[in-house]
Amino acid sequence: MTETSPDNTVPVAPVIDKDNWQDAENVRWSFQHVDQVLPTTPISRGTGPVAELSVELQDLGGIEIPKTEFSEARSVRSVIEASDTDAWMVMHNGTVLTEEYFSTMRPETEHLLMSVSKSLVGTVAGVLVGAGDLDPNRLVTDYVPELASSGYAGAKVRHILDMRSGIRFSENYLDPKSEVRRIEESIGWSETSPEGQAKGMYEFLTTLEAKSEHGGVYEYRSCETDVLGWVCEKVAGESMQALMSRVLWSRIGAERDALIATDQYGVGMLDGGINTTLRDLARFGYLYANRGVSLTGEQVVPTSWVGDTLTGDEDTRKAFAEGPDDNRMPGGMYRNQFWFPFPDSHAFLALGIHGQMIYMNPGANFVGVKLSSWGLPQDAAKLFPTIRAFDALATAISAPIVD
């Protein structure tokens, strides 16, 4: 949908608004210009020094991804080129080995993270747990009494951290009547929303109903993160923008402020509205590859929280396996707003629709970050090759050198 000037020589910004910014032909532009489409507020990086990145660039595109029962062997480069990549980075032992940008994406561009945002919110919750301010075993309504008459009555914070509440909520991105799309109507992100629908994030959450007992099987629901963020805000007595800046973003040595898209009242779209640069997202991912210690040398995330995220509860994998969705991750789990795709590996993921990913492998001290603009919200033909590509890179890079 890109337009040109009358003499067809100078590109101008496409005509994109709240109704079409998520259309397939527009996402490459809109994901890099969210602040021109939606209301946003900053998540301040604070005033501390930037954590400079050690760089030893290598051409890793030729590394081979082994053959599987679903695909032939292929190169990492072929995956990057076939999956609408806007930018990607590989970091090993805190050193950047690959950093590439495509089309209009630049190092200073703040790119929409979609549901990678969930992992940042989950990390804020982890910091609060580590400080003794938040108890995962207490009821959600102990912190947010406004939800007492909603379906969240009886749900524990642990349930929403792992998406195991009993709330009725459809995550069907292609159904305009699903709850995940109704959130957007409620926060005024659609110009065609019926009059009176734009009620704000918090009021929308109070209308959700339960369909089953809390603490059952895993089911992916974006509303869980929005409730989790509300809990964190109540605990801290400040907005998520201020809270995330204070306990996380100002402590990782970020280069730039992050941005979060908001509702009409300034409440952040906590389940998918955060925007960051590629480099700052890698700085965040490094926390989980380095036991919660940032590139600044500061213990940002409690080691106990990182350990809890990696191990889960005794029934976490069972709950994941018995969930209603086909996640194509047999033996995997979902814990503290992160995905674990394998039963026998500590490699885990922060994932967002349209191809946003942080791949973290603490055993290899490896971080891979990819920002993308897939036309479809979900695309297994692009997601799983990307996971396998980062697997292959982590294996190759961390392999001992044999003389």
Side-chain angles (χ1 to χ4, degrees), residues 24 62-63 109 114 118 263:
I63 290 177
T109 304
M114 287 298 188
K118 292 178 170 68
D263 72 4

Side-chain angles (χ1 to χ4, degrees), residues 32 48 119 183 265 277 292 315 379:
Q32 297 177 41
S119 300
I183 286 181
Y265 303 110
T277 65
D315 67 339
D379 193 334

Side-chain angles (χ1 to χ4, degrees), residues 240-392:
M240 180 57 69
Q241 293 93 312
L243 173 60
M244 186 175 290
S245 169
R246 178 169 62 83
V247 305
L248 179 63
W249 209 248
S250 65
R251 301 174 67 193
I252 63 172
E255 289 182 54
R256 300 176 66 90
D257 293 348
L259 292 177
I260 187 166
T262 68
D263 72 4
Q264 59 275 60
Y265 303 110
V267 175
M269 180 62 156
L270 304 176
D271 67 72
I274 298 176
N275 303 254
T276 76
T277 65
L278 180 75
R279 291 173 179 173
D280 284 344
L281 194 58
R283 289 180 172 96
F284 167 74
Y286 180 78
L287 294 172
Y288 282 92
N290 195 41
R291 299 182 180 180
V293 177
S294 74
L295 287 163
T296 66
E298 185 175 2
Q299 186 78 51
V300 177
V301 182
T303 303
S304 57
W305 184 257
V306 176
D308 180 89
T309 302
L310 289 167
T311 56
D313 289 332
E314 61 181 15
D315 67 339
T316 305
R317 294 185 188 274
K318 181 174 183 290
F320 187 82
E322 294 178 354
D325 304 322
D326 179 11
N327 296 303
R328 304 188 189 185
M329 296 180 182
M333 71 175 184
Y334 189 90
R335 182 71 168 181
N336 291 341
Q337 309 283 299
F338 288 92
W339 297 82
F340 289 76
F342 311 116
D344 55 356
S345 170
H346 273 172
F348 63 113
L349 314 168
L351 291 177
I353 57 173
H354 296 279
Q356 323 317 319
M357 180 187 296
I358 312 174
Y359 173 105
M360 294 147 287
N361 189 322
N365 204 339
F366 175 95
V367 177
V369 182
K370 188 172 184 292
L371 298 170
S372 314
S373 49
W374 301 348
L376 292 172
Q378 295 173 315
D379 193 334
K382 294 176 181 176
L383 171 63
F384 290 98
T386 301
I387 298 173
R388 289 196 295 272
F390 282 136
D391 273 340

Side-chain angles (χ1 to χ4, degrees), residues 14-312:
V15 180
I16 294 177
D17 57 25
K18 291 181 180 179
D19 281 337
N20 63 20
W21 71 280
Q22 294 185 79
D23 291 353
E25 66 271 22
N26 294 335
V27 292
R28 185 176 294 275
W29 184 91
S30 61
F31 286 6
Q32 297 177 41
H33 300 87
V34 167
D35 59 343
Q36 296 184 40
V37 182
L38 302 171
T40 61
T41 56
I43 299 170
S44 173
R45 66 164 300 277
T47 58
V50 172
E52 298 298 335
L53 298 178
S54 173
V55 178
E56 297 178 10
L57 295 182
Q58 304 175 22
D59 183 1
L60 303 177
I63 290 177
E64 183 177 277
I65 305 167
K67 177 181 179 180
T68 72
E69 61 179 305
F70 303 107
S71 63
E72 296 297 317
R74 59 190 296 192
S75 70
V76 168
R77 173 60 58 191
S78 73
V79 171
I80 297 300
E81 293 179 346
S83 56
D84 301 304
T85 306
D86 294 326
W88 74 299
M89 176 182 285
V90 165
M91 181 185 289
H92 181 236
N93 291 329
T95 297
V96 176
L97 304 184
T98 287
E99 180 181 6
E100 285 191 290
Y101 300 86
F102 301 91
S103 186
T104 59
M105 184 78 181
R106 298 290 182 267
E108 65 274 13
T109 304
E110 287 146 347
H111 192 289
L112 182 62
L113 304 185
M114 287 298 188
S115 288
V116 171
S117 306
K118 292 178 170 68
S119 300
L120 273 73
V121 173
T123 300
V124 169
V127 174
L128 294 178
V129 171
D133 297 326
L134 176 63
D135 182 352
N137 293 312
R138 285 186 61 181
L139 296 176
V140 168
T141 52
D142 287 346
Y143 298 105
V144 187
E146 292 90 335
L147 290 169
S149 60
S150 77
Y152 278 104
K156 295 180 180 180
V157 174
R158 169 51 58 200
H159 299 152
I160 59 175
L161 277 162
D162 298 344
M163 298 206 180
R164 294 179 61 182
S165 80
I167 290 294
R168 178 180 290 107
F169 188 94
S170 170
E171 194 78 13
N172 185 345
Y173 303 104
L174 301 181
D175 178 3
K177 296 183 179 180
S178 66
E179 282 84 357
V180 74
R181 293 307 187 194
R182 283 175 49 213
I183 286 181
E184 295 178 357
E185 292 181 350
S186 295
I187 64 175
W189 280 18
S190 173
E191 298 287 6
T192 58
S193 298
E195 186 175 353
Q197 285 291 96
K199 60 183 69 173
M201 174 65 76
Y202 289 162
E203 185 175 343
F204 173 81
L205 296 174
T206 66
T207 69
L208 294 175
E209 301 175 347
K211 65 176 181 179
S212 59
E213 292 186 8
H214 300 301
V217 299
Y218 159 87
E219 184 176 351
Y220 190 80
R221 288 165 288 223
S222 284
C223 59
E224 308 279 69
T225 312
D226 296 313
V227 171
L228 177 64
W230 196 359
V231 167
C232 292
E233 290 180 330
K234 287 282 196 173
V235 167
E238 57 189 332
S239 70
M240 180 57 69
Q241 293 93 312
L243 173 60
M244 186 175 290
S245 169
R246 178 169 62 83
V247 305
L248 179 63
W249 209 248
S250 65
R251 301 174 67 193
I252 63 172
E255 289 182 54
R256 300 176 66 90
D257 293 348
L259 292 177
I260 187 166
T262 68
D263 72 4
Q264 59 275 60
Y265 303 110
V267 175
M269 180 62 156
L270 304 176
D271 67 72
I274 298 176
N275 303 254
T276 76
T277 65
L278 180 75
R279 291 173 179 173
D280 284 344
L281 194 58
R283 289 180 172 96
F284 167 74
Y286 180 78
L287 294 172
Y288 282 92
N290 195 41
R291 299 182 180 180
V293 177
S294 74
L295 287 163
T296 66
E298 185 175 2
Q299 186 78 51
V300 177
V301 182
T303 303
S304 57
W305 184 257
V306 176
D308 180 89
T309 302
L310 289 167
T311 56

